[in-house]
Structures are given as structure tokens and as C-alpha cells.
Amino acid sequence: MAVSKKKDIRELLVSSGLLTRDQVKDLVEEGRKTGASLLSLIYQRKLLDEATVSSFLEDKLEIPRVDLSRYLIDQKTLDSIPASTVKKYGIIPLFLVEKTLSVATADPFNVKAIDEVRSKAGLDVEIMVATPSDIKQAVSQYYGVAGTLEEVLEQVSAPENMVAGGPALEEEAPVTKLVNLLLAQALSERASDIHIEPEESKVRVRYRIDGIMYEVSAPPRHLHAPIVSRIKVMSRMDISETRLPQDGRFEFSFEGRPIDVRVSSYPSIYGEALVLRLLDKQSMMFGLEDLGFSSDNLKKFEEIIKRPYGIILVTGPTGSGKTTSLYATLNRINSPVRNIITIEDPVEYELPGIRQSQVNPKAGLVFANALRSILRQDPDVILVGEIRDLETANVAIESALTGHLVFSTLHTNDAAGALSRLQDMGVEKFLISSACAAVIAQRLVRKICPVCKVEVDLPKEYQGKFEAFEQRGIKKVFEGKGCKSCRNTGYRGRSGIFEILEVTERIREMILEGKSAMEIKKEGVKEGMRTLRDDGLIKVMDGKTTIEEMLRVTLLD
């Protein structure tokens, strides 16, 4: 049933002291002119916050309030209303009891919306109220933009939208909408990358979400050229060059936030493949506490970065969160009394108060000579994006030995392996021993989805396998059953696991003696270092991730 207006909402807003009579009068007048409802105008003008409006509707008008974050809506209920109606009016179906459908909306007085829902569902409708933010999140969670993508794919292939060589590329052309929707869907699903891959009969579109690839769409083959052309135009790349790899970038606005999009093209046998890296500048501003450090590891790391000089290395494979950790570290130690300079490839996010620069091989600016120039800029702290060769390694170590705190990255499997890698590059043992303060190895594990998280018995195949479980008497662990919130994966979001090797006096001696990485690792464990595997096990026991996920990222360790 629709919400009754027996109690005049306008009078109640005034008598409750939420709005003045003049404010209500202005809103009513604007509503007559524009057709907008009273509540929508209150939200637009931000006269009242969302929680206040929801409480008012529940207390004064007796409309039940619902917290959508606590609901897990089944597929049958979701299918009761077309996605187009949901998105058009912002109405979420909640549950179905006999012939009555309960729905959540931010505007329970939108009679047109309620009538359309009743007509489409063929059911009686019971109204509940939710905040606009909750409605928006639920629409994204349960419906995404998949339905809209299908509509645009149909539209983009329509004869009137085709020109010689493919669809038109005007600003409002369907192919432009398609590209924008691919970007919007990727961002709403927290994807870090979009892969657009031509195949013989279709174009495969995949998103990388929490480190794992998911196929999300397959536009027809004839749309490959216009999609690629549109993205290359946006990225200021040469659209006439299809035989050589290219790089470009552009900025995309999503929900009022600027998103930096890095584009890479690569020629394949069926045409150019594109990868778009999505960099949300606002979501990147992590603190050290947000990275996943355990309390003891965080305390240890904070002590390490207080050192006035030395080199601190962060290691791990591509996509293990090294840049995020380094940026969070620089933010922590940044202050007006410190001069911090970086040389990166590329600069992924801008850090206030820190001078950042980017390598430019075409102009001859590479890590080694950029680092030499930085030393003439009177730095206190230096970030070198990556140590790739002996020349860069030697300059970085020289900088650490002359009173600078240096951060950099290496691609090695564990912390001790970084010390061996420097030796393999040709760096003298005494330099490594003298300059290195610590090495941090890290990986990213997917976190169990909080919406569908359940406790289960420890699987038989893992019983007696982990000493840490035996010591703590662990008989139960957690996992995600899979739901709409996590794309039925059981995981949502990621957290770091860490291995922190402090270069102590004994380890310095072992480096000089030429001891292997394995021997150094054993000594580190003896001195209190927690390995990646052990740090992952703690996250399993704390209910943050699963055994399978921990094993996936530490299999080689």
C-alpha cells in the first residue's frame, strides 16, 4: 500500500522545528515549478541530513525505517522489479510475503514511482524508508550497470548509429556512453584495472577486483575498433598507430571524485588490447594502520622509519601493494622540517608537501641520474621507485650512507631474498651490510566478505597441519558463503600481510660472511621476525581471511 498523507508532512516539518515555515513555502513553490518532490528538494539543498529525514519519517509519519547494509536480498525478490525501474526511481525490493512486496525508498511520497512498481510487480506494495546513500549503495551492489550496458550495446549496434568504419564517435554517441559505463561499472565494483581484449568473434572485457580477474561483458567484435579509438582519443594516443605499444592517460569523474586512468595498448593477432589502470586519488590516502599490520609489526615498522638514515626496502611481486605502503609511510613521516623528494615510474598519486618527479627515459631521466640530481636538492628522505640495476643500487646505497633515509622497492619473494638480489646485481657485501636498515616483504590477501561471513569447522585437510592452530586450540575458522555484495566470491576488499626483517648486527655479519638468503631468514625468525605465512595464519585465526587465500599468496614462501 502507498503511504498516506493524513498527517501533512509540511506542517510536521515546521512543528518539529526541522524547517521554518518560509523554507517549506519556498520548497513547495519550487516543487510546483520543477515537478520535484518536497523530500528530493530537501536532499538537493542539503537542508537536513539523511539520518534526520529518515528518523522524522519514522517517528512522525510512522513509516518503518530500514538499514539496507543489514539486508541480504534474495534473487527472486530482486527479479520482482525490472532493473530499469529500480534505477529510475531509486526503489529497492526487500522481501516478498504472499502477494505483498516490501520496498525501500528515500521518497515514500513519490506516487508515480509506487504506482509503476505495483504495476510492474503485479503485487501490493508496502513502503519502508532508507537514506539516499543507502539506496545508491544498494542499487550499485545488486544491480550495478549491467542492465544499462546491455541497453547501450543494443543502441550502439543500431543502424542509425553506424557510420563508415563503425559507430559515430561524437560526445553523446552510444559508443561514448558504452566506454563511460564500462568505467563507471568498474569503479562501482572497486576494480583496479579494466582489460579490453579482442578475440576472433567478440571483445572480452574483464575487471581485476581484489587482485582477481572477472569477465564482465563481451561486446560484439565489430565494436572493438570504435571502443579502442574512443579510449585512445581520450588518452591522447595516436589512433593511426596500431602496430606498436602505446601509453596514455586521462581523467574521469566518478561520483564527484577525479579518477586518474592510465592506458596501455598492445598489438595482438586480433587487434589492439587495452589495459586501463584506475587510480582513485581519494581512496589512496591510507594511514599505516589501514594497511593490515598487526599491532606488534606496526610498532616495529614505526620504529624503523624513525631512523635518520639508511635504506629501507619493500619487496613483493607486481600488485602486492608496495606503492600504497610507501605512500602511507611518506605521509606518516612527512613534516615541515623534512625535505622529502621522490623519483617514480610513474607518479601514481600526488602527495601534499612532497616533491615528486617521474622518470623520462626519452629525455634521459632515469632512476640513477635522477637520484644524483636529487642529492643536490638537500633532501632528508628519498623515495626511489624501484632499484632495477647496479648503477641505481649503488647511488641509493651511497645516499643512505651519507645521512639520508632512502626508501625503494625490489621484486623478490621474501625479505631476505632482497639482500641476495642486491649481491646478484653486483653491489659489494660491505655496502649492503652498512646501508640496509630493514627489508619488508608483503602480499595482499582478500578479506572475507562481512555480509556473508560464517563460522565453519576447521576442514579436515588442515587439521594438525599448522602449529599455530594447535597452540591456540583453533577448531573453527571463517569463510564467506558468497552474496551479491561480493559477486558471490566470499571476499570483499584486501589487506596486507608482512614480513619485517631488521638488519641487526648479527645479520650484518652474515651478509659479510656471504650467508644464503635461507640462512639469513632463519636468523631473522630466531630474532623475532614473523614470516609472510605466519602473518597470514594470524589473519586466518582472527577471522579476516581464509586458509585457501593465505596459501594462495604464500605458496612459494
Side-chain angles (χ1 to χ4, degrees):
M1 61 181 179
V3 172
S4 170
K5 279 194 179 181
K6 289 178 182 176
K7 299 179 181 178
D8 193 317
I9 185 174
R10 294 168 293 187
E11 288 299 325
L12 285 171
L13 283 166
V14 175
S15 63
S16 299
L18 296 177
L19 296 178
T20 66
R21 196 167 296 279
D22 286 342
Q23 284 177 314
V24 171
K25 184 179 178 181
D26 288 344
L27 291 171
V28 170
E29 195 63 36
E30 184 176 345
R32 285 177 182 152
K33 293 177 183 177
T34 63
S37 71
L38 184 68
L39 285 179
S40 66
L41 290 171
I42 289 173
Y43 288 129
Q44 284 174 28
R45 291 190 180 185
K46 297 182 179 178
L47 295 175
L48 299 171
D49 64 68
E50 296 180 349
T52 299
V53 175
S54 296
S55 297
F56 164 78
L57 293 172
E58 182 176 46
D59 297 341
K60 301 298 182 183
L61 291 160
E62 300 174 359
I63 306 170
R65 180 172 51 167
V66 61
D67 181 355
L68 292 179
S69 66
R70 297 180 180 273
Y71 267 79
L72 186 59
I73 307 168
D74 64 64
Q75 192 59 49
K76 182 180 177 182
T77 304
L78 291 170
D79 292 340
S80 63
I81 307 176
S84 57
T85 302
V86 168
K87 292 173 184 176
K88 182 178 178 181
Y89 295 113
I91 289 186
I92 301 293
L94 293 174
F95 47 85
L96 183 59
V97 179
E98 295 182 348
K99 292 188 177 181
T100 300
L101 176 67
S102 293
V103 300
T105 177
D107 189 352
F109 302 117
N110 190 332
V111 177
K112 185 179 178 182
I114 305 305
D115 286 345
E116 183 168 326
V117 169
R118 186 184 294 110
S119 173
K120 296 283 186 182
L123 299 163
D124 291 332
V125 177
E126 184 77 37
I127 302 299
M128 303 178 83
V129 67
T131 65
S133 296
D134 277 359
I135 293 285
K136 185 177 182 181
Q137 173 60 35
V139 170
S140 174
Q141 175 180 327
Y142 290 106
Y143 297 90
V145 293
T148 314
L149 277 174
E150 295 306 317
E151 294 166 11
V152 174
L153 281 171
E154 289 179 15
Q155 186 182 7
V156 82
S157 298
E160 64 268 22
N161 290 320
M162 301 298 290
V163 296
L169 288 176
E170 288 82 4
E171 186 59 33
E172 291 303 317
V175 71
T176 300
K177 293 180 183 177
L178 176 58
V179 170
N180 289 344
L181 282 167
L182 286 172
L183 287 161
Q185 182 183 36
L187 290 161
S188 68
E189 297 196 17
R190 304 173 298 104
S192 60
D193 302 84
I194 303 173
H195 291 245
I196 299 172
E197 304 156 329
E199 297 185 350
E200 186 174 8
S201 59
K202 65 177 182 180
V203 182
R204 183 167 68 162
V205 178
R206 296 190 291 170
Y207 295 161
R208 186 178 294 279
I209 303 171
D210 293 335
I212 306 296
M213 298 277 276
Y214 298 96
E215 187 165 348
V216 294
S217 181
R221 182 70 176 83
H222 71 268
L223 292 181
H224 174 252
I227 290 173
V228 170
S229 294
R230 174 62 190 162
I231 293 172
K232 289 174 76 173
V233 167
M234 294 168 73
S235 312
R236 294 183 173 85
M237 295 160 70
D238 184 354
I239 62 171
S240 66
E241 179 55 76
T242 60
R243 299 164 300 172
L244 296 173
Q246 293 186 63
D247 294 305
R249 63 186 293 180
F250 63 91
E251 197 169 89
F252 181 80
S253 180
F254 177 70
E255 295 182 348
R257 309 195 310 269
I259 309 297
D260 196 15
V261 184
R262 308 283 171 84
V263 183
S264 171
S265 73
Y266 189 81
S268 72
I269 57 173
Y270 293 116
E272 288 181 283
L274 297 182
V275 176
L276 286 69
R277 168 65 57 89
L278 309 175
L279 302 172
D280 185 342
K281 297 177 181 179
Q282 289 185 12
S283 68
M284 181 62 186
M285 291 302 106
F286 290 107
L288 288 179
E289 299 81 1
D290 304 318
L291 299 180
F293 282 111
S294 59
S295 58
D296 54 341
N297 266 348
L298 177 60
K299 185 177 179 181
K300 182 186 291 187
F301 186 66
E302 286 181 321
E303 287 301 315
I304 289 169
I305 63 177
K306 286 179 183 176
R307 302 186 182 201
Y309 59 87
I311 186 164
I312 298 170
L313 296 170
V314 179
T315 76
T318 301
S320 59
K322 298 187 298 296
T323 300
T324 301
S325 294
L326 286 171
Y327 279 5
T329 301
L330 292 185
N331 273 329
R332 172 60 62 89
I333 66 175
N334 188 21
S335 73
V337 299
R338 269 182 160 158
N339 183 19
I340 303 177
I341 307 179
T342 77
I343 177 66
E344 306 170 56
D345 183 23
V347 172
E348 293 197 9
Y349 297 92
E350 295 175 14
L351 302 173
I354 294 173
R355 283 189 285 164
Q356 296 171 269
S357 56
Q358 186 165 304
V359 297
N360 186 351
K362 290 181 181 178
L365 184 66
V366 294
F367 281 122
N369 59 22
L371 188 48
R372 288 193 180 91
S373 298
I374 286 173
L375 290 172
R376 295 192 287 272
Q377 290 285 308
D378 186 30
D380 297 299
V381 180
I382 302 168
L383 167 64
V384 184
E386 184 182 348
I387 293 178
R388 296 175 179 171
D389 52 48
L390 176 60
E391 187 180 10
T392 306
N394 278 332
V395 181
I397 285 175
E398 178 188 330
S399 305
L401 291 173
T402 54
H404 304 91
L405 184 60
V406 180
F407 293 93
S408 193
T409 68
L410 274 176
H411 289 273
T412 60
N413 284 333
D414 60 9
L419 303 173
S420 298
R421 177 80 181 101
L422 289 173
Q423 290 183 46
D424 293 341
M425 284 182 175
V427 181
E428 296 288 347
K429 294 173 189 173
F430 76 91
L431 291 174
I432 300 171
S433 172
S434 302
C436 286
V439 185
I440 295 88
Q442 69 177 77
R443 299 287 189 279
L444 291 175
V445 293
R446 291 180 292 168
K447 295 190 292 186
I448 298 171
C449 174
V451 177
C452 59
K453 180 178 180 179
V454 293
E455 191 175 36
V456 297
D457 291 330
L458 179 65
K460 288 183 179 179
E461 63 265 33
Y462 299 126
Q463 292 177 13
K465 187 172 181 179
F466 302 111
E467 187 178 336
F469 284 8
E470 300 292 319
Q471 291 173 348
R472 287 176 55 171
I474 299 296
K475 303 293 183 184
K476 301 226 177 234
V477 290
F478 290 87
E479 64 180 34
K481 292 190 301 182
C483 63
K484 281 280 184 181
S485 180
C486 60
R487 297 178 60 91
N488 292 313
T489 63
Y491 299 99
R492 184 175 175 85
R494 290 190 290 176
S495 176
I497 58 174
F498 300 89
E499 180 176 287
I500 302 177
L501 176 66
E502 287 191 82
V503 182
T504 61
E505 284 304 315
R506 176 58 192 142
I507 289 176
R508 292 186 200 284
E509 291 171 6
M510 294 179 75
I511 295 170
L512 291 171
E513 292 166 6
K515 299 293 186 182
S516 68
M518 183 59 70
E519 290 173 300
I520 291 174
K521 183 172 185 175
K522 286 180 179 177
E523 178 61 27
V525 171
K526 184 179 173 183
E527 294 180 0
M529 179 184 80
R530 185 183 299 133
T531 65
L532 285 166
R533 171 68 58 86
D534 289 341
D535 203 39
L537 283 171
I538 288 175
K539 280 196 164 45
V540 173
M541 292 187 287
D542 289 345
K544 295 177 181 176
T545 192
T546 64
I547 298 174
E548 292 77 13
E549 179 66 6
M550 179 275 296
L551 291 174
R552 181 182 71 84
V553 302
T554 64
L555 198 57
L556 298 176
D557 300 317

